Amino acid sequence: EFLSRLEKTASRNEITQILADLFKKADSGEIDKICYLVLGRIAPNYAGLEFQLAEKMVARALVLAYKTGIEKVTEQYKKMGDLGDVAEELASAQDTGHRTQELSVVQGFEILKDIAQESGKDSQERKLEKMAGLLTQLDPLSAKYATRIPTGKLRLGFSDMTILDALSVLEKGDKSARRQIEAAFSVTADIGRIAQKVKVGGLEGIRRIRAEPGVPIRCALAERLASA
């Protein structure tokens, strides 16, 4: 529902407020995962963890999940131009609303991460089956966004920087803490970890952040000086 609100919003300030509301509702064990998911990822950028799922494969996952033909999926995709919209429509046609259990953010995230980590012989088929399995457990709106994430089509119109603003709004009610939060992000370029630190320990939680081996520092523009 939050992703749907974000998609319909063009104003950067409104997007920031929606994200802040989302972070307020999230608990400390899921806020990091939410940060990755709203950016269409399942790990920090530097981790290089990609889904390796082409649109044709995701279309096949829709066929498996909703027990339909590839011709129907292809036809709807041509008409709608978005596999997420196709997934929502197919899921709506079959949705009874009687799921035994709603997936939590963490459960959905772990399935997506598992899909991305699949490798080796027959890995594409395993990805396909797991993606279809995930879709069958989701309501139509959730299926729409879960379909868009692996295809890289989430495109909600904001970046890491907006998330930093939202974390400031979460803590201070405005963007006054943005510079402080960004300083921590520059030292540890992992937006999920920064969000988790803010959620658990507030601004005090990020003051203790130091550079760590294996975690990149964000590049900054340099100014040439007259001497060393």
Side-chain angles (χ1 to χ4, degrees):
E1 288 167 0
F2 274 100
L3 289 172
S4 182
R5 284 172 59 193
L6 288 165
E7 186 182 359
K8 293 169 186 169
T9 305
S11 161
R12 181 56 54 89
N13 286 336
E14 282 182 45
I15 287 172
T16 303
Q17 188 58 57
I18 292 168
L19 285 169
D21 293 344
L22 172 56
F23 296 156
K24 187 175 182 180
K25 285 196 169 199
D27 64 43
S28 59
E30 63 187 7
I31 191 170
D32 55 334
K33 296 160 184 67
I34 286 171
C35 284
Y36 303 136
L37 290 172
V38 296
L39 292 167
R41 307 179 203 149
I42 25 81
N45 260 344
Y46 67 82
L49 189 58
E50 303 292 340
F51 284 99
Q52 305 292 333
L53 269 179
E55 286 191 340
K56 283 184 179 178
M57 287 293 286
V58 176
R60 283 180 60 199
L62 298 186
V63 170
L64 271 179
Y66 303 118
K67 299 188 170 41
T68 185
I70 189 66
E71 299 81 9
K72 183 178 180 181
V73 171
T74 305
E75 183 185 330
Q76 284 182 288
Y77 181 35
K78 282 179 181 174
K79 186 170 68 177
M80 303 173 93
D82 185 297
L83 277 176
D85 290 338
V86 175
E88 185 178 24
E89 187 168 285
L90 290 170
S92 296
Q94 294 187 6
D95 191 37
T96 60
H98 298 302
R99 272 173 215 85
T100 52
Q101 181 186 357
E102 289 286 346
L103 281 186
S104 69
V105 169
V106 174
Q107 287 171 320
F109 175 86
E110 290 301 334
I111 294 170
L112 285 169
K113 190 174 181 181
D114 193 30
I115 291 168
Q117 288 175 329
E118 277 286 3
S119 62
K121 189 174 184 293
D122 299 327
S123 60
Q124 286 297 98
E125 290 305 312
R126 290 194 297 274
K127 285 176 189 273
L128 188 64
E129 287 169 12
K130 287 177 180 178
M131 188 68 201
L134 170 62
L135 292 172
T136 59
Q137 298 178 71
L138 298 175
D139 63 88
L141 189 60
S142 300
K144 171 181 178 174
Y145 293 104
T147 300
R148 285 181 179 177
I149 289 170
T151 57
K153 297 286 176 67
L154 198 55
R155 293 185 190 142
L156 296 178
F158 60 87
S159 66
D160 293 342
M161 298 301 106
T162 310
I163 289 181
L164 299 181
D165 282 339
L167 290 171
S168 176
V169 172
L170 173 69
E171 273 300 294
K172 291 283 196 177
D174 56 35
K175 297 179 184 179
S176 60
R178 155 68 188 268
R179 181 171 289 190
Q180 188 179 342
I181 297 169
E182 187 176 352
F185 181 51
S186 294
V187 173
T188 301
D190 182 342
I191 196 74
R193 186 172 176 217
I194 294 295
Q196 201 167 47
K197 291 275 187 185
V198 172
K199 183 75 178 179
V200 174
L203 297 178
E204 191 59 41
I206 59 172
R207 284 197 185 99
R208 293 184 292 273
I209 285 180
R210 298 289 181 269
E212 291 179 19
V215 181
I217 298 171
R218 289 177 66 225
C219 293
L221 294 173
E223 185 178 340
R224 183 177 294 180
L225 300 179
S227 69

